[in-house]
Amino acid sequence: MIILAADIGGTQARLLLGECEGDGWRTLRRQTLSSRDYPDFDTLLETFLLPGERPLTACIALAGPIEDQRVRMTNLPWQLDAAELAGRFGLRQVRLLNDFSAQAHGLALLRSEDLCTLQAGEPQADGVRALLGAGTGLGMALLAGSPRQPLVLSSEGGHADFAPQDEQQLALWQHLRAEHGRVSLELLLSGHGLERLYRFIAGRAASAAVSLDARGISRMAAAGDAQACATLELFARLYASAAGNLALTGLARGGVYLCGGIAPKILPFLQQPQVREAFCSKPPMRGLLQRIPLHVVLDEYLGLRGAAQVAARLASPAE
């Protein structure tokens, strides 16, 4: 039985065609396309599928809240309806998932080499696990249950309020509030957020044009540029602080996982001691947070693999 999986972000679309095998699946073909090059998901899928390829079930992971198996994407002008999509492409069943819910489904598939551990902690095997990921936006999810019966709780916590923790962060909040009115976590912890932090560090107005994008800032930091390094150091501390807040919210004794496209690319900055301090420094809960593992996920296909796992379950007779 052939399955289709997709992980659609605001920048990249990853798609996979697989074949059910035992309790899982094996990859037949995988491709990454630019989301912004397509006016809608149908056009993207028509580009991906080759003549004669007819998957039975599909799981589509998307950046945005899913309601009644419909979604209006947050960072793309796309709308999807699972039932309509199934009818147009002759699929027996289509499941729409929030992109971080799909990543949560993929956690059980990770190998040790897919992780970089920032804090080993004292993980509980049956503990709740939390995911937090900065990319085009900022995603979150919680995972409970077991590998065979996972319970995934999706979240739009990336749009929660940013709470400054020191004088520099208070100045940052004031710097952005004048331009945006409200300062959310995603406003800082995203690709464009990295650009905003760079303008702040460089002493430029919040609305000022900046010639460097997030990738350029990371390259300059790798080359030792002082302002770019200071930007990534601030970003890493803010990221860890948000992760600590999510750990407390979900009581994530199974661990916190930093996912998404940015974390693996700024790994040296996330491995600095002040990052672990930002994660744990939440009295009176410091001791609790020191026991919670903190990892960076290095596998960029985590969401796609999670979506494929869900599609394989849909294809099984039990589903």
Side-chain angles (χ1 to χ4, degrees):
M1 289 186 286
I2 306 302
I3 61 167
L4 169 72
D7 181 15
I8 312 298
T11 304
Q12 290 188 321
R14 298 181 174 93
L15 300 102
L16 177 150
L17 210 65
E19 184 174 19
C20 292
E21 193 173 73
D23 292 333
W25 48 274
R26 66 180 181 90
T27 301
L28 298 175
R29 192 165 64 80
R30 189 174 70 187
Q31 187 175 4
T32 299
L33 301 169
S34 173
S35 307
R36 299 186 188 279
D37 289 346
Y38 299 89
D40 50 46
F41 180 76
D42 282 24
T43 308
L44 174 80
L45 187 54
E46 288 165 356
T47 301
F48 171 70
L49 289 174
L50 300 177
E53 290 182 338
R54 298 192 54 99
L56 177 69
T57 62
C59 179
I60 315 298
L62 309 112
I66 311 297
E67 296 184 15
D68 298 323
Q69 285 299 289
R70 300 181 181 92
V71 62
R72 181 189 297 272
M73 292 192 66
T74 304
N75 294 306
L76 282 174
W78 292 8
Q79 298 182 59
L80 281 82
D81 180 299
E84 292 178 1
L85 189 63
R88 284 196 296 271
F89 286 90
L91 295 154
R92 189 180 78 184
Q93 192 169 356
V94 174
R95 177 77 52 84
L96 302 183
L97 281 183
N98 175 267
D99 55 344
F100 269 76
S101 295
Q103 293 197 45
H105 280 285
L107 280 185
L109 305 174
L110 288 175
R111 304 159 299 177
S112 58
E113 57 264 35
D114 295 324
L115 296 173
C116 175
T117 298
L118 305 180
Q119 175 172 283
E122 301 170 10
Q124 290 186 0
D126 60 348
V128 171
R129 288 185 278 179
L131 298 89
L132 176 76
T136 304
L138 178 66
M140 298 183 186
L142 297 172
L143 173 66
S146 66
R148 286 191 171 274
Q149 292 185 309
L151 174 61
V152 176
L153 304 178
S154 58
S155 170
E156 289 298 327
H159 299 285
D161 299 326
F162 164 60
Q165 296 301 303
D166 56 31
E167 291 303 317
Q168 182 192 40
Q169 293 180 24
L170 181 58
L172 171 63
W173 179 84
Q174 293 169 334
H175 171 81
L176 291 172
R177 183 175 179 272
E179 175 70 17
H180 297 279
R182 172 179 176 268
V183 184
S184 69
L185 290 172
E186 183 172 280
L187 204 66
L188 303 171
L189 296 173
S190 59
H192 289 310
L194 197 54
E195 297 163 17
R196 294 182 183 101
L197 293 181
Y198 182 78
R199 283 194 289 266
F200 170 72
I201 292 292
R204 302 180 189 178
S207 58
V210 60
S211 57
L212 290 173
D213 60 8
R215 188 172 299 175
I217 294 166
S218 297
R219 281 198 298 263
M220 285 185 63
D225 179 83
Q227 288 185 339
C229 286
T231 298
L232 287 181
E233 288 168 0
L234 176 56
F235 184 95
R237 292 196 304 274
L238 295 173
Y239 204 172
S241 180
N245 286 339
L246 184 59
L248 291 176
T249 300
L251 202 56
R253 298 182 186 273
V256 176
Y257 296 78
L258 302 183
C259 310
I262 293 179
K265 296 180 177 67
I266 63 167
L267 203 52
F269 293 92
L270 290 169
Q271 291 173 307
Q272 295 176 0
Q274 58 265 36
V275 171
R276 291 192 299 277
E277 177 63 16
F279 178 77
C280 295
S281 183
K282 300 183 186 296
M285 293 295 161
R286 172 183 287 273
L288 170 65
L289 287 165
Q290 287 174 333
R291 294 191 295 274
I292 290 179
L294 179 62
H295 309 283
V296 175
V297 176
L298 306 177
D299 180 8
E300 64 178 314
Y301 293 103
L302 176 63
L304 185 62
R305 294 170 68 189
Q309 189 69 21
V310 173
R313 291 194 190 109
L314 292 175
S316 70
E319 293 288 338

